[in-house]
Amino acid sequence: MIEARDLKKSFVMGGSTLNVLNGVNLSVKKGEFLCVMGPSGAGKSTLLHILGALDHPTSGAVTLAGRDVFTITERELPAFRNAHIGFVFQFHHLLTEFTALENVMMPLLVGRKSAAEAKKRAEAELERVGLAGRTLHKPGELSGGEQQRVAIARALVTSPDIVLADEPTGNLDTKTGSDVFDLMRRFNRESGTTFIMVTHNETLAARCDRLVRMVDGMMSLTRMSKSDTVG
Ligand SMILES: Nc1ncnc2c1ncn2[C@@H]1O[C@H](COP(=O)(O)OP(=O)(O)OP(=O)(O)O)[C@@H](O)[C@H]1O
Ligand SMILES: [Mg+2]
């Protein structure tokens, strides 16, 4: 359902070229919960940005929802992202001036849903993440775990085909991180939403359907099985 072929990404800085992705191939099935691990600087965030069409690769292709993503025009791309992709980041990236409810409504309003429908769906989604009693709180009035649950509600409210999560629990304590992960795993099972999650947490990685490791901008050849990843 999402496929990356021979993705390369380099940044040119002050006359020298930094090769960050060196030919990444990846195929993720619908409903799969994939985990990406790898040392800092391996290119995980860069990969996620490209898979989510937030950035262009230097070469290579991404296919998502039957479309060759980088043939979509800049004009159409925001609507394509809005319809198919949800993002969750390490730091929630919520809009601090808006309430939890408004934050979750935002992608629906951007997708031209009516305010009434957006409100109804955002309220339902916040209830699903256990925050029915916090809808009018602004991000600064929520705990870290609650903020991350709002971010998950915002990513899921449009019923995307895929959620791309970059260290979604990286900023949380072990218990809260585990709860936030459980929530994503539950939605993955309930709704069949595909997830790609970057994490440095081996315990959570072991609870994903599949784990791939990135080293120096490439998928490591040794794919560890679940039992290899703990301990
Ligand atoms: N916009 C940019 N311009 C120049 N170099 C960049 C840019 N974005 C990323 N890089 C470089 O690309 C490399 C990979 O960065 P990336 O953020 O993808 O790593 P990562 O695997 O997500 O690491 P971490 O685990 O620390 O989050 C790094 O060395 C970084 O300095
Ligand atoms: Mg990163």
Side-chain angles (χ1 to χ4, degrees):
M1 85 114 344
I2 186 165
E3 200 168 317
R5 276 193 315 281
D6 202 20
L7 285 182
K8 295 186 178 162
K9 179 72 176 178
S10 11
F11 295 103
V12 179
M13 299 197 78
S16 65
T17 304
L18 183 66
N19 298 315
V20 174
L21 299 183
N22 296 305
V24 170
N25 290 292
L26 183 67
S27 181
V28 186
K29 285 188 298 230
K30 179 169 167 31
E32 193 172 11
F33 201 119
L34 178 81
C35 174
V36 180
M37 295 193 85
S40 180
K44 304 176 301 294
S45 295
T46 305
L47 174 65
L48 233 56
H49 282 118
I50 292 173
L51 292 177
L54 291 172
D55 196 5
H56 281 261
T58 307
S59 65
V62 172
T63 314
L64 172 59
R67 300 281 303 270
D68 185 346
V69 173
F70 297 106
T71 64
I72 301 173
T73 63
E74 286 299 324
R75 220 179 107 95
E76 281 180 288
L77 210 47
F80 177 81
R81 273 199 300 266
N82 185 267
H84 298 287
I85 307 165
F87 293 95
V88 183
F89 300 95
Q90 176 174 5
F91 301 99
H92 54 72
H93 288 217
L94 298 170
L95 300 169
T96 52
E97 294 305 305
F98 292 88
T99 64
L101 181 65
E102 288 164 339
N103 269 282
V104 179
M105 286 170 67
M106 209 65 78
L108 295 171
L109 297 176
V110 169
R112 292 165 189 264
K113 299 285 184 271
S114 72
E117 186 188 345
K119 182 162 183 281
K120 200 169 127 222
R121 283 174 61 177
E123 278 171 347
E125 204 62 47
L126 282 165
E127 190 175 342
R128 213 154 65 118
V129 299
L131 290 178
R134 296 285 186 280
T135 59
L136 301 180
H137 287 233
K138 289 181 180 170
E141 299 157 355
L142 295 167
S143 74
E146 287 170 346
Q147 290 171 2
Q148 212 52 321
R149 283 191 276 156
V150 175
I152 290 169
R154 181 185 54 179
L156 285 161
V157 76
T158 52
S159 307
D161 298 311
I162 184 159
V163 172
L164 301 170
D166 196 354
E167 300 191 45
T169 65
N171 207 22
L172 305 173
D173 66 73
T174 308
K175 165 79 169 73
T176 310
S178 175
D179 291 347
V180 163
F181 175 80
D182 285 343
L183 195 65
M184 293 193 291
R185 201 67 171 107
R186 176 155 69 79
F187 292 162
N188 158 252
R189 292 204 168 103
E190 281 174 8
S191 317
T193 312
T194 308
F195 277 76
I196 301 181
M197 179 181 83
V198 171
T199 184
H200 288 286
N201 184 322
E202 297 274 355
T203 309
L204 298 185
R207 290 156 63 191
C208 294
D209 291 327
R210 180 159 63 104
L211 165 64
V212 292
R213 291 185 189 263
M214 275 188 87
V215 181
D216 296 335
M218 293 176 79
M219 289 305 170
S220 157
L221 289 175
T222 48
R223 270 186 195 170
M224 306 250 180
S225 71
K226 286 181 187 174
S227 56
D228 287 329
T229 63
V230 272

